Amino acid sequence: MTLKALEFYSGIGGMNYSLILSGVDCRVVQAFDINTNANKVYYHNFHHRPSGKTIESLSKEDLQAYEADLYLMSPPCQPFTRQGLQRGNNDPRTRSFLHLLSLIPHLLPKYILIENVVGFEKSDTHETLTSVLSNAGYIYTQFHLSPTQFSIPNQRLRYFCVATLPPREIEHPIPEKSSEQILTFIPRNPHFTSESSSSDQSSSSSKPKQTCKKIQEFLIEGIDDEYIIPSEVLLGSGMLFDIVFPDSTHSCCFTKSYGKYIEGTGSVIQLAPPSVKADLLNPSSLIPLKLRYFSPLE
């Protein structure tokens, strides 16, 4: 039987697309997001328009009508980021997630998947989440995972929580009891060792068995000139760029400010050979590197 899913904070459909790639017999029956631009992209991707209702306005009866088995949630991360005020439950942007958590004991979906930034697990919102799940009878497992662990050459460490209500209808390697331990690997997944590890981001006890793919496998031919970084940008703050090469197996996390700001927004590609290097004291030496941005599709 095909399972039904609700995708909250749907954005452009990352959770939906991952669900499709997983091969699980499940379909998203409704998505929810208040960002009109994201909803247009979501419609382009899946030919299904998300609801623009605020999540706080959704009642128990509204959600019961979908008879969903799986809830996918990626609530706003700003209340939990290291750069933010870390106000957690006291941040207005957390209200919608707290509203959903208040409905969980009444709706009891069989499966829940939650994604957020690393640091969420230290918040009072995380305490609320685990309390709600435990009191409602869920078994949950928590992870710190990054695309690099799945052979994708981009570092984007994130917190995940998978919760299930016994008995399970989907076979998966999640433990049979809840644990406060945060795993940095997926049990019995062939990409990882079977060693458990702590939530320490520097832990190396679960390194992937295979290396990441090279960036060149994700590059599109014929668009280099379109994304070349202007000389005036290079001469301004160009020394702050994180530079990678087509044969690199890593890149920095991309943010929504990529292409507008430089530091900490994502890597750029050097088209010139690695032997061509810049002088840290001379910004004009960046020009021969032939640096370009990654395209949105890349």
Side-chain angles (χ1 to χ4, degrees):
M1 181 181 70
T2 300
L3 300 177
K4 300 177 182 179
L6 293 180
E7 185 179 15
F8 300 96
Y9 315 99
S10 53
I12 64 173
M15 288 279 199
N16 193 342
Y17 191 67
S18 297
L19 184 62
I20 294 171
L21 289 179
S22 74
V24 174
D25 188 11
C26 184
R27 65 183 180 91
V28 172
V29 294
Q30 186 56 271
F32 300 91
D33 204 295
I34 59 173
N35 187 306
T36 55
N37 288 328
N39 288 346
K40 290 177 182 177
V41 178
Y42 191 103
Y43 180 80
H44 171 81
N45 289 336
F46 303 103
H47 308 292
H48 175 81
R49 195 173 303 281
S51 169
K53 289 184 178 180
T54 62
I55 288 175
E56 297 98 309
S57 71
L58 298 173
S59 68
K60 177 182 69 174
E61 291 74 22
D62 290 333
L63 298 182
Q64 279 178 331
Y66 294 106
E67 299 181 335
D69 307 282
L70 167 64
Y71 283 11
L72 303 169
M73 307 183 197
S74 184
C77 64
Q78 294 91 338
F80 318 108
T81 59
R82 287 175 296 179
Q83 295 85 355
L85 298 177
Q86 299 180 356
R87 296 180 61 198
N89 285 350
N90 293 320
D91 193 305
R93 291 167 290 192
T94 309
R95 290 173 186 164
S96 60
F97 185 53
L98 294 176
H99 176 66
L100 285 176
L101 292 182
S102 72
L103 297 179
I104 292 296
H106 307 284
L107 298 167
L108 296 176
K110 297 173 185 175
Y111 308 99
I112 299 174
L113 172 61
I114 297 166
E115 178 270 346
N116 215 282
V117 294
V118 169
F120 170 81
E121 71 280 359
K122 299 177 182 178
S123 68
D124 57 353
T125 308
H126 175 263
E127 294 179 8
T128 302
L129 166 66
T130 54
S131 176
V132 167
L133 293 177
S134 297
N135 292 335
Y138 284 89
I139 297 170
Y140 62 87
T141 307
Q142 303 173 93
F143 303 90
H144 280 169
L145 299 172
S146 174
T148 55
Q149 295 172 277
F150 301 88
S151 300
I152 305 298
N154 184 252
Q155 180 61 40
R156 188 179 176 86
L157 191 65
R158 287 296 181 269
Y159 166 90
F160 295 89
C161 179
V162 178
T164 63
L165 268 183
R168 301 170 176 175
E169 296 180 8
I170 299 176
E171 287 193 16
H172 53 70
I174 303 305
E176 294 294 335
K177 61 180 180 180
S178 298
S179 172
E180 295 308 309
Q181 181 185 29
I182 295 182
L183 304 179
T184 58
F185 68 101
I186 298 177
R188 300 201 298 275
N189 186 296
H191 291 288
F192 307 101
T193 66
S194 59
E195 301 174 38
S196 62
S197 59
S198 70
S199 60
D200 185 353
Q201 294 185 38
S202 64
S203 173
S204 60
S205 60
S206 58
K207 292 181 179 178
K209 290 184 178 180
Q210 62 188 56
T211 59
C212 283
K213 297 177 181 179
K214 294 182 178 181
I215 286 176
Q216 61 193 16
E217 296 186 41
F218 300 87
L219 300 182
I220 300 171
E221 294 183 2
I223 65 169
D224 290 343
D225 291 343
E226 184 179 354
Y227 291 96
I228 285 289
I229 300 173
S231 297
E232 55 268 27
V233 175
L234 298 177
L235 296 175
S237 303
M239 285 297 177
L240 297 176
F241 277 121
D242 178 76
I243 300 172
V244 296
F245 301 91
D247 63 352
S248 296
T249 56
H250 72 280
S251 60
C252 291
C253 174
F254 296 101
T255 74
K256 67 179 181 180
S257 297
Y258 186 68
K260 298 178 182 178
Y261 300 100
I262 295 177
E263 189 173 13
T265 62
S267 301
V268 298
I269 309 165
Q270 177 172 326
L271 300 177
S275 58
V276 181
K277 301 182 183 298
D279 179 353
L280 294 178
L281 300 178
N282 181 15
S284 63
S285 66
L286 290 169
I287 296 175
L289 302 186
K290 299 180 180 179
L291 300 179
R292 81 160 174 89
Y293 293 111
F294 283 84
S295 73
L297 186 57
E298 291 170 339

